[in-house]
Amino acid sequence: MAYSPLQQVRYGYQPKLPGVLREDIRKMTPMKGAATESASDHSEIRERFPHTYGMPMVRFEQGENPDVPEKRNIGVVLSGGQAPGGHNVIAGLYDALASANPESKLYGFIGGPSGILKDDCRELTGAVIDEYRNTGGFDIIGSGRTKLESESDFAQCAKVCNARSICALVIIGGDDSNTNAAMLAEYFVRNKSGIQVIGVPKTIDGDLKNEHIEASFGFDTATKTYAELIGNIQRDANSSRKYWHFIKLMGRSASHICLECALLTRPTMALISEEVEAKKQTLGDIVSQITDCVVSRGRQGMHFGIVLVPEGLIEFIPEMKTLISRLNDLLAQDGGEISGIEDPLQRCTKVATLLPKASGSLFSTLPQEIQMQLLLDRDPHGNVQVSRIETEKLLIQMVADRLRHLRQEGIYTGPFSSQHHFFGYEGRCAFPSNFDADYCYSLGYTAFLLIASGLTGYISSVTGLSKPADKWNAGGVPITMMMNMEKRHGSQKSVIRKALVELDGKPFGVFAASRDAWASGNEFLYPGAIQYFGPPEVCDQPSVTLTLEQES
Ligand code: FBP
């Protein structure tokens, strides 16, 4: 196997643990707080989780824990989209397990949750783990988006775990995967299976967070990677002074990634989906806003700029949201009337006639490529695959059309040359930043301690993240504590509440207070590449979002 110089050196990086986890692993004891309640809808959530509702929060402190050295087999699975640091969660889990008892075994299920159902797994020995320490990607065992949600799935998980004497499963995933982890934990307790379930908060999107889970892992590295690229493009734009760059940034729903990148780079404009929804903006309003900026900068001789576009934008524009929901209904009921039409143009024309009037007219005004993208297959959760909808190109086309009209009317005659980009996959498997390397290793280590303390239905939690790692705390949060009831695909479901950008929060406040100056001038910041070695103020800084959120 060939290794890059960075990979070789990164193997030797020893992730930093919270101070409390640095002593003998047998001397960490769970301190339990008071009984907890769900985020809201207490009685409904309690009814659905009668065995695991109300458990206390847990924090590890120095003390005796005689159960730690027990020999155990643990299973681990990666679920959903890749996020930098997944390998370190597994390394932290393995190191804790092996230091507690070298005869214990760790099994990694292959290709996501379906690996459990198919009993497809590999033993993760020290030699295997050493090949993946501090590297990006999920390739150690792969990932997948299969959902574990039915009683028969849960029964199959129990069967597979029992056959391998697996006493606990660690599920590394986003809000949906952790919701399902809570359901699995409840099933195992109800059926006295004796198998524990611990979740780990993963997603570059940054939307699995709350008072007790301060960040999902991967967000830090992904945003720093995108910010480096945005900064490079800004410098190019500021040098050639001839292009408007429209950059779509990943993040299925919430705009945390876009906001963090804006705070790191100070672009000309950044759209925040949550604000668009709150202000009930139409697609036309957004296009006017961008066009106004192009015109005003153009009048000062600046025919260039950077516009950051969140991936989820399209679903937050109220009229588009309605259109997408109508399309979902139409496609779900389609018995071949639409899918049977081979010619894309005819298919789109047919769809426009089947939609209610307002949605049909809006659909007809969209460029045909976008119409076709809106008709693409839904993901396993029934969602439009927003990463495949080229919103950045749609906005460019609509702004260009608007400028053409202004030119015809003699109102504005300046040039408008554009470039489009989509940054998503570029950041999901980057070498984890020191922050993510340390955070993930600590999350994995803590997941083992939760198991060794006999707990189930908890998510691993490491807090105090804006401080240096030795000051971090480690513990667990009952997953039911993060739940509420939401309507999903027509019925009420108990789910982990997704964290959207808070418009009254500090990160958005700082952005909103600065954006006019960024739009009219060129205050670009150039963050450069992630640094893995060097002074802590360059190498170990958490995200701006996290820092602002924790500032008193
Ligand atoms: P998770 O929520 O599973 O972490 O995935 C998030 C994400 O990276 C989104 O930002 C993006 O829309 C989606 O995955 C892309 O999915 P895919 O990898 O299936 O193209």
Side-chain angles (χ1 to χ4, degrees):
M1 214 165 357
Y3 306 118
S4 71
L6 180 66
Q7 188 168 349
Q8 267 169 8
V9 179
R10 276 311 263 180
Y11 282 149
Y13 176 76
Q14 181 52 50
K16 298 185 272 300
L17 279 171
V20 67
L21 302 189
R22 292 182 187 177
E23 305 300 325
D24 183 341
I25 192 154
R26 285 161 299 189
K27 297 217 154 44
M28 286 157 205
T29 192
M31 302 302 291
K32 296 184 181 171
T36 58
E37 295 273 24
S38 55
S40 61
D41 309 304
H42 302 166
S43 55
E44 287 95 331
I45 308 286
R46 183 193 296 274
E47 210 173 279
R48 284 168 163 84
F49 295 89
H51 302 89
T52 50
Y53 187 88
M55 300 183 299
M57 299 245 311
V58 165
R59 187 171 155 152
F60 288 103
E61 288 184 10
Q62 292 292 304
E64 292 303 316
N65 192 344
D67 298 333
V68 166
E70 200 180 292
K71 182 176 168 228
R72 296 180 170 84
N73 289 350
I74 293 180
V76 63
V77 66
L78 290 158
S79 181
Q82 284 69 250
H87 288 159
N88 269 29
V89 176
I90 297 178
L93 174 64
Y94 174 83
D95 287 353
L97 179 73
S99 74
N101 185 330
E103 287 181 22
S104 290
K105 284 190 183 347
L106 181 62
Y107 292 101
F109 287 98
I110 308 295
S114 64
I116 312 180
L117 301 177
K118 292 188 271 188
D119 189 19
D120 185 7
C121 74
R122 72 186 288 206
E123 189 187 335
L124 300 172
T125 60
V128 173
I129 299 280
D130 286 349
E131 291 280 318
Y132 293 91
R133 288 181 191 272
N134 305 304
T135 58
F138 277 6
D139 40 321
I140 189 169
I141 46 175
S143 185
R145 291 196 183 275
T146 304
K147 292 182 85 167
L148 301 175
E149 56 180 352
S150 67
E151 292 269 316
S152 62
D153 290 344
F154 299 159
Q156 175 64 6
C157 290
K159 195 170 148 203
V160 168
C161 290
N162 285 332
R164 292 190 176 275
S165 304
I166 288 175
C167 68
L169 277 175
V170 175
I171 297 183
I172 305 171
D175 53 339
D176 284 334
S177 306
N178 276 288
T179 293
N180 294 341
M183 291 163 68
L184 185 59
E186 174 69 24
Y187 174 92
F188 284 157
V189 179
R190 172 160 47 89
N191 289 283
K192 301 188 173 48
S193 315
I195 306 163
Q196 297 159 256
V197 183
I198 299 296
V200 176
K202 171 234 70 163
T203 177
I204 62 161
D205 293 3
D207 55 10
L208 173 47
K209 66 173 171 182
N210 50 51
E211 211 185 320
H212 311 291
I213 302 296
E214 295 175 359
S216 58
F217 79 77
F219 176 76
D220 187 76
T221 310
T223 50
K224 286 184 168 121
T225 305
Y226 305 142
E228 180 207 351
L229 301 175
I230 295 163
N232 295 349
I233 289 176
Q234 289 186 155
R235 199 133 220 178
D236 192 287
N238 207 13
S239 306
S240 67
R241 304 176 84 83
K242 64 177 181 185
Y243 290 127
W244 274 86
H245 293 268
F246 284 61
I247 305 174
K248 184 173 79 168
L249 292 162
M250 233 182 207
R252 231 218 81 72
S253 192
S255 302
H256 298 293
I257 292 181
C258 193
L259 178 56
E260 171 71 11
C261 288
L263 292 167
L264 285 169
T265 62
R266 301 185 183 170
T268 319
M269 280 187 84
L271 303 170
I272 301 297
S273 308
E274 290 82 347
E275 186 184 26
V276 166
E277 185 173 53
K279 290 184 170 167
K280 299 191 173 43
Q281 288 184 300
T282 62
L283 192 53
D285 294 336
I286 297 168
V287 170
S288 299
Q289 200 182 326
I290 303 173
T291 311
D292 289 350
C293 184
V294 170
V295 170
S296 126
R297 283 174 70 88
R299 290 200 166 120
Q300 296 169 63
M302 295 187 286
H303 302 293
F304 66 97
I306 310 299
V307 183
L308 302 187
V309 181
E311 181 185 68
L313 176 70
I314 201 99
E315 285 192 297
F316 281 75
I317 303 171
E319 56 181 354
M320 290 299 295
K321 189 176 179 173
T322 310
L323 167 61
I324 289 169
S325 139
R326 301 280 178 271
L327 284 172
N328 288 347
D329 295 346
L330 207 59
L331 295 175
Q333 293 153 13
D334 177 39
E337 197 183 2
I338 301 167
S339 52
I341 305 174
E342 294 263 313
D343 179 58
L345 183 60
Q346 281 179 20
R347 198 180 320 136
C348 293
T349 312
K350 179 74 186 174
V351 165
T353 63
L354 294 173
L355 284 166
K357 198 157 173 264
S359 292
S361 324
L362 176 61
F363 186 74
S364 306
T365 61
L366 299 172
Q368 204 203 333
E369 277 161 27
I370 302 290
Q371 291 180 347
M372 279 158 42
Q373 287 160 12
L374 285 169
L375 297 181
L376 289 171
D377 289 342
R378 271 43 186 164
D379 76 6
H381 304 275
N383 300 316
V384 166
Q385 299 187 53
V386 280
S387 62
R388 298 174 69 185
I389 298 180
E390 296 172 316
T391 328
E392 68 288 17
K393 289 193 191 166
L394 172 67
L395 291 175
I396 288 176
Q397 195 166 331
M398 293 183 78
V399 169
D401 282 349
R402 197 62 68 85
L403 288 167
R404 201 169 304 120
H405 284 118
L406 294 182
R407 205 165 293 127
Q408 280 162 3
E409 289 162 21
I411 295 173
Y412 177 72
T413 54
F416 175 68
S417 298
S418 61
Q419 300 284 352
H420 57 84
H421 314 263
F422 170 35
F423 298 151
Y425 301 98
E426 291 81 349
R428 295 202 312 182
C429 286
F431 278 97
S433 61
N434 287 353
F435 174 86
D436 269 329
D438 299 345
Y439 180 43
C440 290
Y441 189 82
S442 303
L443 285 171
Y445 207 93
T446 306
F448 169 76
L449 284 173
L450 292 167
I451 293 167
S453 306
L455 299 165
T456 189
Y458 277 74
I459 189 164
S460 178
S461 149
V462 173
T463 56
L465 297 173
S466 62
K467 299 186 199 128
D470 63 325
K471 303 250 164 22
W472 292 354
N473 303 307
V477 180
I479 303 179
T480 51
M481 193 184 173
M482 310 187 316
M483 287 185 155
N484 67 166
M485 298 300 294
E486 283 176 29
K487 196 167 179 193
R488 296 268 174 101
H489 308 298
S491 56
Q492 285 292 324
K493 294 255 164 82
S494 46
V495 294
I496 294 178
R497 182 182 279 169
K498 207 184 256 304
L500 299 179
V501 168
E502 288 176 10
L503 300 182
D504 55 0
K506 214 161 182 189
F508 181 80
V510 169
F511 161 74
S514 326
R515 61 180 157 188
D516 288 349
W518 300 350
S520 55
N522 296 310
E523 301 201 8
F524 304 136
L525 283 182
Y526 310 114
I530 295 176
Q531 301 296 307
Y532 299 93
F533 303 96
E537 61 273 23
V538 178
C539 303
D540 294 347
Q541 289 310 305
S543 66
V544 183
T545 303
L546 185 66
T547 309
L548 289 172
E549 280 170 348
Q550 295 197 354
E551 252 175 30
S552 46

